[in-house]
Each structure stands twice: as structure tokens, then as C-alpha cells.
């Protein structure tokens, strides 16, 4: 988080524990302008024995080609790892020096880095920082600033926001679910609230606005803790490889995205009225992975994805959202991480993790603005395949050689999410990041669910006979026939997993089966047409889509009934 403020000299800073607040100078104060540097130090997350912090340096003196920031702790804090700077410690004294790629610091320019540390007792913000030996102004991380009315008071941040908390039930979705035959069995389940266009902030066609949802969340919260899940989904040139969920903003409209979409959301979420809520944001599904898999020279490249990689607006948009929303102390940002059937191959896996970090350090964001990642959002990949594993061999061939697995490293979402988490930590993300898995439509139950491994005739009969995921191909993603509700939302279900969630509301269409005029910017994608014979992204297989589907996001009763019928665990 890289909020920039003007503060008085370090000697005048008031240090108040882990979230100490500096007194802010009047904007335009001539004395502040003469100070050679400003340091913005924020404790982003804190638990019993550890914390993460972000630091932004602003250089007000001559341009630098390298820099070194130093401070001392009054307590027993110990830095254990850092990112975007070489951070070392000797006793109480800490030094953060630039990396090779961020040594340039222009006059008026800023550089940001983050780190993780341990402590016991108090965790006071350091009183003094020096940049290349010169004392800087201190903005000591207080989330409350009298010059910024959108900053709510600090809440008690937790490592896993889902622990010990109820999760918001969207009344609009719940009403639709309850109106379906048998739908009352799941109408009380929590689902994501999708902000898929600017109009959604104030409510579409008389529907609930963002403030309406937050007010209702306060009512549902009562005296306990409550998570509300928001899907941030309106990038310029959205979904460059899929027409069904194209959005309202053109490829170059990054400024509109920032000022008309993200900024108003940040203002609302920052209202102190909502400071007691745990607000989980899922940031821009189906965006960053496209910049790895669907660009030239890949066979799956699309012209739209080439444009979005060239103009950088996906990276800029995600970074801006993380930065701005991350400024709100009770917001927990989770970045979309595709699914194993998209990114699980060797040439996609590491490259995608690197792309996520690029976005997480763009537009003023730092990796500390990322609380975790979410896999399988709005997709169908099985949570856990129990009848075969990636290490199995049949008739002299590895499971990886089967047509279904096709040399992927992973067979299901749980193994993929846990492995991706490890990869992300290894490249500089916080070691406490958590993963979410969307299980809203990956149950694959019903009469066609295998009860054991397939025949060992060959590796294909073995895998195809035992796999729960009954799609024709892993690349099929639109309104899949035979799909069922998956595991019910729950906190901390497995190592490294913060929660299973229903981020995609069951019953909302992925896209229309044929072209339908609409004012939402959503096109017609042949992958939603049940008669379509495929493309390179699904290896030219049939689409597996249900017929007669409405435009994406609209209620699709036939799909909802299919999901209940094939639910696993089954509905009672």
C-alpha cells in the first residue's frame, strides 16, 4: 500500500504502537517541501508473533542511481524476509538497499518494498529513518488521517479472514435460489457479489448497490464477525480470450477504470461505518493468465490479448486496484490465479506466478497488498481426484501421458492451489498468503460419478474411468453439462487454503448459447454453443455447454437445477 501523505519532521512524529499515527502537515506546507525525503511505513498485517510491513520512500532531493534506507527498532522485532529490496539486520539496526532493477530514484520519485518480521510484546513503528544518511520525514503507518476521510479506523486484521466469521448471504441471489424447486436447501449459502460494471456500484435496474450490500452485511453480522465477498471485475478490454464476458470498457480506457470504477469502490469500502466488516475482494478474474497463455507466439493467441499485453492495462489495472483497495485496513485482496487446467503446465505455471508479481508491484502496489489468491473462480475443475494421482503409472505410461492430463503437473485444484502458493512465496509473496478455491460448480456428483479407478487396460482407460471431472475437455468452461455443486463454503479446509468459497453464484450463466443483444458489452462466444466443435484452447473438442443459456450473469434455471441434481456432497 503506497498512500502518500505529507508529514511533519520525524522529531514531531507520534509513535503509537504497531499502527502509530503521524501528525499530518497542512498540504503545501513550505517546510515539508524542503525535507529531503519522506518515508511511509505501514504494518499491513499482524498476528501473535509476526507481521508484514510495507515501506515507500519518496525522494525530494537530487536524483539517485542507488539508495539505502536505515532504521532501528526499539523492541525485539526481527526481519525474516523481504521483497523489492535487500533487507538485512544487525541487532536492532535494519538496512534496506535497492535491488538492481529499482535503484533509480528521481527527484520526487518513490520506491516501495516490503518485508516480514517477528516480534513479541509491542511492535512500535520506528521513530527515525535515514535515506543515504539523511533523516527523512516519517509517515508512520497510521490508517487514520484527518486529511483523508475515506480512511477507516484500523480494525483487527487476522491471518485468515474466514476464521471465526460468518460469510455474507447475498439476498438477491438467495431469493432466486429459494424460488427454484428444491432451491431452499442452498439458498442460505454465501456467494460473491459481482461488481462487473460501473453501474453495479449504485445498483443495476433497481437492484442492490454496493452500500446496500454492505449495510445488509452489517445487519447479518450482528455482534460477531462477518466476511463479505466482492468480485472486482471491470478491467479495460476484459476477458480478451472469451467474448461471452467482455465488459463495458475498451482496451485503452484505463483512466475510466481507475477514476470511475476503482476510486468510487475504494471510497465506499473506506467508510468508517463498514470498518468492522472483513471485506474480501477477488481481483479481476480471467485477466493476468491470458497475458501468459493467449498471446503471440502461442497457438492459442488472440489479437485482443496481444493488445492487452502490449498496452499493459491489465497489469496497471490490477496493480491500481490492489494499491487503492489495499489502503483500506479491513480489505483482504485475493488475486485470481486461474485453475490447474489452464496454468498447471510447466510453461504456464512459473510464468503466471511471475506475471502475478509484476501486477502486484505495479501502480504503487506492493506484494503486501495481496492477502492471497483464488483458484477455479467460475470454473469446473474438480477439487480432488481420488482415483488417480500424477505419480501413477499404468501399462508402462505415466498418468501425465494420458489424453485427459496431457502432461499437466496437477490433476485437481487442491494440489494446484497448494503448489502455486509455494511458488508465489518463493518469488517474494508473504509466507502467510492463503488460497481460496471456488467450489460452487465442481462437485461432479450424480449417477456418473466414478466409485473407483478406471480399468488398467491403458493409461487413458485408467484416467477416464476414474476421473470425477466429466467434462469433454479441461478447456471447456461455459455452462458445463453434468456439473454439480461442490463442497459447501468452509474456512481452513486444508493446509494453505483459507477457505472453500462459492464466489460464482450457482445458477448465473457463463454466457449465452447464441447471440443475444444486450447493453452490458457482453458478446457471443461459440464455447457457449452446444453445437460448437471447438478450437485450439480445448483441442478442438465439443464445447459441452448446456443449450438455451442467457447472457452471462443472468439467471439460468436449467443450470441451477442441474447443479443441484449433480451436487457432491449430495444435497439432503
Amino acid at each position: 500500500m503506497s498512500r502518500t501523505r505529507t508529514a511533519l519532521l520525524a522529531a514531531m512524529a507520534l509513535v503509537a504502537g504497531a499502527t502509530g499515527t503521524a501528525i499530518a502537515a497542512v498540504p503545501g506546507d513550505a517546510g515539508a517541501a524542503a525535507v529531503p525525503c519522506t518515508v511511509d511505513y505501514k504494518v499491513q498485517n499482524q498476528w501473535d508473533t509476526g507481521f508484514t510491513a510495507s515501506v515507500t520512500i519518496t525522494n525530494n532531493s537530487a536524483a539517485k542511481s542507488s539508495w539505502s534506507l536505515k532504521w532501528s527498532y526499539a523492541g525485539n522485532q526481527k526481519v525474516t524476509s523481504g521483497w523489492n529490496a535487500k533487507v538485512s539486520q544487525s541487532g536492532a539496526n535494519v538496512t534496506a538497499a535497492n535491488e538492481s532493477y529499482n535503484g533509480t530514484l528521481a527527484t520526487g520519485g518513490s520506491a516501495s518494498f516490503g518485508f516480514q518480521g517477528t516480534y513479541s510484546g509491542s511492535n512500535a513503528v520506528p521513530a527515525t529513518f535515514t535515506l543515504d544518511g539523511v533523516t527523512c520525514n516519517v509517515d508512520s503507518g497510521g490508517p487514520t488521517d484527518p486529511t483523508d476521510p475515506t480512511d477507516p479506523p484500523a480494525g483487527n486484521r487476522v491471518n485468515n479472514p474466514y476464521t471465526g466469521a460468518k460469510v455474507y448471504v447475498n439476498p438477491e441471489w438467495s431469493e432466486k435460489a429459494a424460488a427454484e424447486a428444491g432451491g431452499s436447501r442452498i439458498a442460505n449459502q454465501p456467494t460473491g457479489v459481482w461488481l462487473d460494471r460501473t453501474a453495479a456500484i449504485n445498483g443495476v435496474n433497481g437492484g442492490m448497490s454496493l452500500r446496500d450490500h454492505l449495510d445488509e452485511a452489517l445487519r447479518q453480522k450482528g455482534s460477531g464477525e462477518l466476511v463479505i465477498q466482492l468480485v472486482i471485475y471491470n478491467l479495460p478490454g476484459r476477458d480478451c480470450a472469451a467474448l461471452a464476458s467482455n465488459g463495458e470498457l475498451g482496451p485503452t480506457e484505463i483512466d475510466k477504470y481507475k477514476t470511475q470504477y476503482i476510486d468510487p469502490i475504494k471510497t465506499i469500502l473506506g467508510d468508517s461505518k463498514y470498518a468492522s466488516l472483513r471485506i474480501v475482494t477477488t481481483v479481476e478474474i480471467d485477466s493476468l493468465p491470458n497475458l501468459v497463455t493467449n498471446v503471440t507466439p502461442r497457438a492459442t493467441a488472440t489479437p485482443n490479448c496481444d493488445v492487452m499485453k502490449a498496452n499493459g492495462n491489465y497489469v496497471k489495472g490490477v496493480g491500481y486496484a490492489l494499491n487503492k483497495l489495499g489502503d483500506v485496513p479491513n480489505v483482504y485482496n485475493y488475486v485470481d490465479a486461474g485453475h490447474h487446467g489452464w496454468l498447471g503446465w510447466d510453461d504456464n505455471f512459473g510464468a503466471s506466478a511471475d506475471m502475478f508479481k509484476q501486477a502486484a508491484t505495479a501502480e504503487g502496489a506492493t506484494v503486501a497488498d495481496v492477502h492471497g489468491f483464488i483458484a477455479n473462480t467460475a470454473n469446473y475443475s474438480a477439487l480432488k481426484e481420488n482415483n488417480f494421482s500424477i505419480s501413477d503409472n499404468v501399462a508402462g505410461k505415466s498418468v501425465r501421458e494420458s489424453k485427459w492430463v496431457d502432461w499437466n503437473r496437477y490433476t485437481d485444484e487442491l494440489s494446484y492451489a497448494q503448489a502455486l502458493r509455494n511458488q508465489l512465496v518463493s518469488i517474494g509473496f508473504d509466507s502467510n498468503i492463503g488460497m481460496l478455491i471456488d467450489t460452487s460448480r465442481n462437485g461432479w456428483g450424480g449417477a456418473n460419478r466414478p466409485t473407483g479407478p478406471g480399468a488398467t487396460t491403458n493409461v487413458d482407460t485408467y484416467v477416464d474411468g476414474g476421473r470425477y471431472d466429466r467434462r469433454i475437455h479441461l478447456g471447456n468452461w461455459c455452462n458445463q453439462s453434468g456439473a454439480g455443486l461442490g463442497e459447501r463454503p468452509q474456512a481452513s479446509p486444508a493446509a494453505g487454503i483459507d477457505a472453500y468459497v462459492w464466489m460464482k453464484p450457482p445458477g448465473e450463466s457463463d454466457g449465452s448459447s447464441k447471440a443475444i443483444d444486450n447493453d452490458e458489452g457482453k458478446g457471443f462466444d461459440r464455447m457457449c454453443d452446444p453445437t460448437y466443435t471447438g478450437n485450439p484452447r480445448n483441442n478442438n473438442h465439443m464445447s459441452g455447454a448446456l443449450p438455451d443459456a442467457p447472457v452471462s450473469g443472468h439467471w439460468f434455471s436449467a443450470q441451477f437445477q442441474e447443479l443441484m441434481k449433480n451436487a457432491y456432497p449430495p444435497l439432503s
Side-chain angles (χ1 to χ4, degrees):
M1 304 177 201
S2 56
R3 198 166 26 190
T4 301
R5 307 186 188 116
T6 305
L8 293 177
L9 293 175
M12 300 176 67
L14 300 180
V15 177
T19 56
T21 304
I23 300 176
V26 176
D29 185 346
V35 177
C37 48
T38 300
V39 172
D40 185 359
Y41 179 109
K42 289 186 177 67
V43 174
Q44 308 288 9
N45 192 12
Q46 182 169 300
W47 53 100
D48 290 345
T49 59
F51 68 102
T52 59
S54 68
V55 181
T56 297
I57 311 160
T58 300
N59 174 37
N60 298 320
S61 59
K64 299 174 180 291
S65 59
S66 63
W67 50 265
S68 177
L69 185 72
K70 296 184 178 182
W71 69 88
S72 297
Y73 283 118
N76 61 358
Q77 297 98 321
K78 299 292 183 186
V79 175
T80 57
S81 63
W83 47 91
N84 291 340
K86 300 182 180 79
V87 186
S88 59
Q89 184 169 356
S90 176
N93 302 317
V94 180
T95 299
N98 65 275
E99 295 282 5
S100 60
Y101 54 82
N102 63 355
T104 300
L105 201 53
T107 303
S110 297
S112 298
F113 64 92
F115 62 91
Q116 182 173 342
T118 62
Y119 77 102
S120 62
S122 64
N123 184 21
V125 173
T128 303
F129 294 82
T130 61
L131 180 63
D132 298 332
V134 178
T135 301
C136 299
N137 268 8
V138 179
D139 179 7
S140 53
T144 303
D145 181 343
T147 69
D148 186 351
T150 68
D151 285 347
N156 295 319
R157 285 188 70 82
V158 293
N159 190 43
N160 181 355
Y162 290 86
T163 300
K166 296 183 292 185
V167 186
Y168 177 65
V169 177
N170 181 346
E172 294 183 311
W173 175 82
S174 182
E175 181 180 3
K176 293 174 184 175
E180 293 279 347
S184 60
R185 293 173 295 174
I186 63 166
N188 64 343
Q189 291 291 346
T191 55
V193 175
W194 285 58
L195 303 173
D196 63 351
R197 51 192 137 155
T198 302
I201 299 171
N202 293 318
V204 176
N205 297 327
M208 293 176 71
S209 68
L210 175 55
R211 283 193 179 274
D212 291 336
H213 283 294
L214 294 168
D215 289 341
E216 171 62 14
L218 288 175
R219 189 194 68 77
Q220 292 184 20
K221 176 182 181 297
S223 59
E225 300 291 345
L226 183 135
V227 170
I228 180 170
Q229 303 171 130
L230 306 177
V231 180
I232 307 301
Y233 186 49
N234 198 30
L235 276 178
R238 190 178 75 191
D239 286 7
C240 58
L243 301 176
S245 47
N246 287 166
E248 64 183 354
L249 299 178
T252 64
E253 294 186 293
I254 186 67
D255 290 337
K256 278 189 177 180
Y257 175 81
K258 292 178 177 180
T259 61
Q260 298 180 24
Y261 180 70
I262 293 297
D263 288 354
I265 292 174
K266 190 260 183 178
T267 297
I268 294 170
L269 299 187
D271 189 330
S272 60
K273 178 181 182 181
Y274 307 121
S276 64
L277 296 172
R278 299 177 182 178
I279 302 171
V280 163
T281 61
T282 297
V283 179
E284 296 296 355
I285 66 168
D286 294 343
S287 59
L288 300 175
N290 274 316
L291 302 184
V292 174
T293 66
N294 294 321
V295 294
T296 303
R298 297 290 185 97
T300 53
T302 70
N304 290 339
C305 289
D306 283 340
V307 167
M308 298 318 299
K309 184 168 185 178
N311 69 24
N313 284 342
Y314 277 6
V315 170
K316 294 173 186 175
V318 170
Y320 189 84
L322 292 172
N323 178 21
K324 292 298 181 179
L325 302 180
D327 280 348
V328 183
N330 55 313
V331 164
Y332 298 79
N333 287 321
Y334 289 80
V335 178
D336 179 70
H339 55 88
H340 91 277
W342 187 359
L343 304 182
W345 284 271
D346 293 341
D347 53 353
N348 297 343
F349 188 79
S352 295
D354 292 341
M355 180 63 69
F356 300 153
K357 187 174 181 183
Q358 181 183 346
T361 53
E363 297 291 306
T366 74
V367 291
D369 287 312
V370 178
H371 199 78
F373 290 79
I374 181 167
N376 203 48
T377 308
N379 207 264
Y380 298 86
S381 294
L383 177 65
K384 176 64 178 171
E385 292 283 9
N386 293 318
N387 294 328
F388 63 96
S389 72
I390 205 69
S391 59
D392 290 348
N393 286 274
V394 176
K397 288 193 173 184
S398 163
V399 157
R400 293 190 69 206
E401 297 179 70
S402 67
K403 292 177 182 177
W404 174 255
V405 177
D406 192 25
W407 295 103
N408 202 308
R409 287 284 179 188
Y410 307 98
T411 60
D412 51 43
E413 287 307 291
L414 183 57
S415 61
Y416 165 74
Q418 290 171 326
L420 181 62
R421 180 185 179 279
N422 291 337
Q423 176 70 15
L424 292 163
V425 170
S426 76
I427 63 172
F429 283 94
D430 192 319
S431 63
N432 285 291
I433 58 171
M435 306 297 290
L436 306 177
I437 301 177
D438 188 347
T439 59
S440 60
R441 305 185 300 177
N442 70 348
W444 296 104
N448 292 326
R449 184 178 176 87
T451 58
T456 56
T457 308
N458 56 58
V459 71
D460 287 319
T461 58
Y462 177 69
V463 171
D464 288 339
R467 59 181 169 94
Y468 300 139
D469 188 337
R470 305 313 296 173
R471 283 179 292 177
I472 298 169
H473 188 271
L474 270 172
N476 289 353
W477 55 266
C478 194
N479 301 324
Q480 290 298 284
S481 175
L485 301 167
E487 289 285 348
R488 314 308 179 249
Q490 56 188 283
S492 304
I497 309 299
D498 280 354
Y500 296 153
V501 297
W502 283 7
M503 201 61 69
K504 172 73 172 181
E508 291 190 1
S509 173
D510 295 320
S512 59
S513 302
K514 59 185 179 182
I516 298 176
D517 290 338
N518 64 89
D519 61 358
E520 302 171 33
K522 295 170 181 175
F524 168 51
D525 195 299
R526 289 296 305 279
M527 286 296 290
C528 300
D529 176 358
T531 69
Y532 185 48
T533 56
N535 58 46
R537 287 191 290 282
N538 79 335
N539 204 19
N540 297 298
H541 285 81
M542 298 296 291
S543 70
L546 292 168
D548 303 319
V551 168
S552 65
H554 290 219
W555 191 255
F556 188 11
S557 177
Q559 185 204 47
F560 186 79
Q561 290 295 332
E562 180 123 334
L563 292 173
M564 290 195 297
K565 180 181 71 175
N566 296 318
Y568 194 89
L571 298 178
S572 57

